[in-house]
């Protein structure tokens, strides 16, 4: 019966639905983009490796000025003792340098690290081997190339055993990493790993930039972080050290992106609201136009709540049909955006369920006023109306 | 006493008044009407335009409530019923026929006729079957799926009569049922209403300002200026 009433007024029904269609498809698309971005970044963080604690001097936070590092390899040894397992601790010294093969030159991040790096970070090799303890101890001039560096310098040629010149010093290539993409804008494929001892001499620095600790499980992260920070603070009274865990990073990023998704969803929600006001208006017009029909139905025995129900069902039907169309458009739009742009889109069931629920809710909410007006019509006045 | 019939009257009105308040001005459409209409009667309410006939019919049909006075339908005082109770009473006891037919425009004859049964909670199949029989009874078996716009005025009014009949009411109230029809169609509609009264024993209360139409009923209640002027029984009409 309600469907029939909608069919009778096709154009108007379509116009009414339009607002809801736009609103719902906007919800689905924007939530898909927000969720997609969040998943992508979370994927990057997880891709680093698992249960990592990054120890850096000073305070970590948005806008915090970078602190001059006072940590050196003795501190790394100290942290190793604190942690109890040397294999769970690694180190990084970073510097941007040019890397040259013949006439080909690329700019790369030179990272001095040690043989424990692969225990903690996820850095699969495509060829060759990782840095070894001997490489570090004897300060060998050997390098493991990031995928992009290897590609640019050697193309398809196997780089293992070949020479590269880093900051004017010749190194032998012992390994080539798989491509791992970027994390937080850090292009890890543009890194070149060399022994930390070699790096310190090359750069002319006795400091290190950071220490990474790998916990053996999620439960160990927090106590381990606490031990490392307390240990270093005890060693250098009056100085601050920060240890960031992936969980913290995920939490921060997650809340920022969650907020973003929320804002997007709110914008979409507003358009849904506007659609709802449209539904309300058009239902009111419809009630006015159908006054005689309402009067007749009442004369024939329809109670107030029958009329209320009829108009509410019409409103809900209108918005849920609009909702379904909006969901289809939203899913289609998300897939299209994903296909045509680098923006990742993740369609989530909850956003679809939410959009559907909200559109039905909009129908009820905005249908109530017109439906009540219809239900309260005096049958005699309604019948006399022309 | 004119009425010797025993039992509870279909309608019993005592001193009914109905005033409308329009921008502070009070219009007394009915100024104290008392009457009894028994089951199975055939009554015409006659009077000039604006005399209060429709107002009276709306009160009898429980579409409206009196400003003062008492109305009993089938013995029940309607002032004791709430709006839902009145709706149920209309649905079960009363069939309406209006001057302007009041059919749903884009709905088939069958579904129009079945409408009162929707509000009685009758299942779809039974609704359609009963609607079909009601349409057959008014000679429209061949028009089940037609929409009002595809039918003549006379046919539309017969659909409306079928709709009034479908719920087996005790009374049919018809307000100027021939007002929008030519005389041939008007006569046909009157014939159906007369049949209804004689063959089914349904009380028919007909509102009209036309003398000839009124004379088709056995009893005429003359209304003028919101009062009953005369209440007569002519021998010619059915019971
Ligand atoms: N809803 C209303 N508001 C104000 N006045 C009304 C209303 N309905 C009817 N009236 C007035 O009540 C009087 C009786 O009307 P009505 O019962 O329709 O007469 P009839 O059916 O005999 O032509 C008329 O004067 C009419 O103007
Ligand atoms: Mg009238």
């Amino acid at each position: 019966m309600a469907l029939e009433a909608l069919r009778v007024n096709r154009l108007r029904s379509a116009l009414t639905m339009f607002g809801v269609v736009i609103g719902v498809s906007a919800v689905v698309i924007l939530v898909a983009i927000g969720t997609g971005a969040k998943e992508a970044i979370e994927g990057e963080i997880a891709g680093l490796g698992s249960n990592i604690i990054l120890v850096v001097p000073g305070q970590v936070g948005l806008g915090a000025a970078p602190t001059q590092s006072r940590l050196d390899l003795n501190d790394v040894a100290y942290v190793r003792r604190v942690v109890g397992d040397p294999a769970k601790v690694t180190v990084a010294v970073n510097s941007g340098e040019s890397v040259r093969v013949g006439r080909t030159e690329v700019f790369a991040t030179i990272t001095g690290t040690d043989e424990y790096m692969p225990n903690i970070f996820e850095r699969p090799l495509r060829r060759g081997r990782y840095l070894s303890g001997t490489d570090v101890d004897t300060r060998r001039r050997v390098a493991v190339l990031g995928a992009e560096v290897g590609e640019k310098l050697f193309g398809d040629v196997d780089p293992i055993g070949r020479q590269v010149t880093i900051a004017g010093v010749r190194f032998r290539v012992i390994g080539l990493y798989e491509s791992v993409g970027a994390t937080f804008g850090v292009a890890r494929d543009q890194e070149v790993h060399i022994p930390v001892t070699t790096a310190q001499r090359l750069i002319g620095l006795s400091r290190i930039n950071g220490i990474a600790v790998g916990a053996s499980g999620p439960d160990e992260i927090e106590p381990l972080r606490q031990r490392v920070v307390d240990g270093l603070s005890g060693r250098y009274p009056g100085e601050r050290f920060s240890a960031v865990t992936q969980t913290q990073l995920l939490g921060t990023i997650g809340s920022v992106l969650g907020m973003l998704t929320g804002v997007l969803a709110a914008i979409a929600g507003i358009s849904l609201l506007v659609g709802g006001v449209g539904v309300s208006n058009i239902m009111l017009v419809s009630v006015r136009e159908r006054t005689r029909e309402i009067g007749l139905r009442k004369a024939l025995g329809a109670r107030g709540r029958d009329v209320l129900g009829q108009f509410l069902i019409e409103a809900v039907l209108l918005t849920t049909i609009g909702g379904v169309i909006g969901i289809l458009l939203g899913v289609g739009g998300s897939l299209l955006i994903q296909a045509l742009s680098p923006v990742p889109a993740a369609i989530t069931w909850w956003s679809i369920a939410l959009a559907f629920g909200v559109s039905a809710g909009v129908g009820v909410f905005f249908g109530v006023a017109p439906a009540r007006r219809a239900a309260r019509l005096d049958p005699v006045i309604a019948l006399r109306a022309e | 006493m004119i009425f010797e019939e025993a039992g509870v009257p279909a309608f019993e009105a005592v001193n009914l008044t109905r005033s409308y308040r329009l921008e502070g001005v009070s219009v007394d459409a009915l100024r104290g009407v008392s009457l009894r209409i028994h089951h199975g009667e055939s009554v015409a309410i006659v009077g000039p335009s604006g005399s209060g006939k429709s107002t009276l019919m709306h009160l009898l049909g429980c579409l409206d409530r009196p400003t003062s006075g008492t109305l009993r339908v089938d013995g029940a005082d309607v002032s004791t019923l709430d709006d839902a109770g009145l709706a149920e009473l209309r649905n079960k006891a009363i069939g309406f026929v209006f001057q302007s037919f009041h059919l749903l425009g884009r709905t088939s004859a069958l579904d129009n006729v079945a409408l009162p049964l929707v509000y009685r909670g009758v299942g779809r199949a039974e609704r359609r079957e009963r609607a079909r029989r009601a349409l057959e009874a008014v000679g429209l078996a061949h028009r089940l799926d037609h929409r009002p716009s595809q039918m003549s005025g006379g046919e539309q009014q017969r659909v409306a009569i079928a709709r009034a009949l479908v719920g087996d009411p005790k009374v049919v109230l018809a307000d100027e049922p021939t007002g929008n029809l030519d005389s041939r169609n008007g006569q046909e509609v009157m014939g159906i209403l007369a049949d209804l009264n004689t063959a089914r024993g349904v009380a028919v209360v007909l509102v009209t300002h036309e003398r000839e139409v009124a004379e088709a009923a056995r009893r005429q209640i003359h209304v003028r200026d919101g009062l009953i002027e005369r209440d007569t029984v002519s021998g010619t009409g059915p019971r």
Side-chain angles (χ1 to χ4, degrees), chain A residues 47 70 286 366:
Chain A
R70 66 165 302 151
S286 161
F366 289 97

Side-chain angles (χ1 to χ4, degrees), chain A residues 384, chain B residues 20 22 27 29 48-55:
Chain A
R384 284 194 202 245
Chain B
Y20 297 103
L22 267 184
V27 180
S49 183
S51 56
K53 308 181 297 293
S54 293
T55 304

